[in-house]
């Protein structure tokens, strides 16, 4: 996945999940699950770790979920919502020190906030 596709995913998630600007994305990773060449369409599994802004800082705990996105050269939308949209997040109320490691279990993150990196560094000592 190239940088432009990664940026499209990040922008889509910010617009879709954070219309009020209260969410802080900690880390994002994505892997292509399926490609339909003749439609130039890809189904992408995205792992998201996020927390919330609290005044001038962020909440020290994160929630994380896997979700699916369908992307073409001109469109991007959520897909397979029946597999991920209902119910609690996979990771709920976990210390942000664990966010980067958890997201990395899917693939190399394409976005890591400075807060997630610093917390991960503290965790490793």
């Amino acid at each position: 996945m190239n940088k432009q596709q990664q940026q499209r995913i990040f922008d889509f998630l910010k617009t879709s999940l954070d219309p009020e600007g209260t969410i802080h994305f900690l880390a994002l990773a994505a892997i292509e699950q399926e490609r339909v060449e003749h439609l130039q369409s890809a189904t992408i599994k995205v792992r998201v770790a996020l927390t919330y802004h609290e005044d001038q800082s962020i909440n020290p705990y994160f929630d994380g979920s896997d979700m699916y996105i369908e992307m073409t050269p001109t469109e991007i939308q959520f897909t397979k919502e029946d597999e991920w949209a209902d119910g609690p997040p996979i990771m709920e109320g976990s210390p942000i020190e664990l966010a980067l490691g958890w997201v990395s279990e899917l693939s190399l993150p394409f976005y890591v906030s400075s807060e997630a990196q610093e917390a991960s560094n503290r965790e490793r000592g």
Side-chain angles (χ1 to χ4, degrees):
M1 193 171 319
N2 66 40
K3 293 283 186 197
Q4 182 182 14
Q5 292 168 317
Q6 293 169 345
Q7 188 63 52
R8 283 183 66 204
I9 291 169
F10 188 40
D11 292 344
F12 172 72
L13 292 173
K14 284 193 295 187
T15 301
S16 300
L17 302 178
D18 190 24
E20 297 173 10
T22 58
I23 290 178
H24 182 81
F25 289 90
L26 293 167
L28 303 169
I31 57 171
E32 191 173 291
Q33 295 279 288
E34 180 182 351
R35 175 168 285 282
V36 181
E37 288 296 334
H38 71 282
L39 297 176
Q40 294 185 324
S41 172
T43 300
I44 299 163
K45 183 177 184 178
V46 181
R47 181 162 284 182
V48 178
L50 53 83
T51 190
Y52 298 92
H53 292 282
E54 293 183 343
D55 299 319
Q56 299 301 314
S57 62
I58 61 169
N59 185 304
Y61 300 99
F62 83 97
D63 292 342
S65 287
D66 292 340
M67 49 192 68
Y68 294 89
I69 292 172
E70 185 176 347
M71 189 163 60
T72 70
T74 58
E75 296 181 18
I76 187 168
Q77 65 186 12
F78 288 118
T79 189
K80 299 185 180 185
E81 287 96 332
D82 58 318
E83 294 184 26
W84 61 267
D86 293 328
I90 296 170
M91 298 289 282
E92 187 171 18
S94 298
I96 64 169
E97 289 81 3
L98 304 178
L100 182 55
W102 178 73
V103 168
S104 298
E105 290 174 9
L106 179 69
S107 71
L108 182 67
F110 66 85
Y111 172 80
V112 178
S113 73
S114 59
E115 294 86 353
Q117 187 65 62
E118 290 168 11
S120 178
N121 292 345
R122 284 193 307 270
E123 175 71 10
R124 288 184 281 173

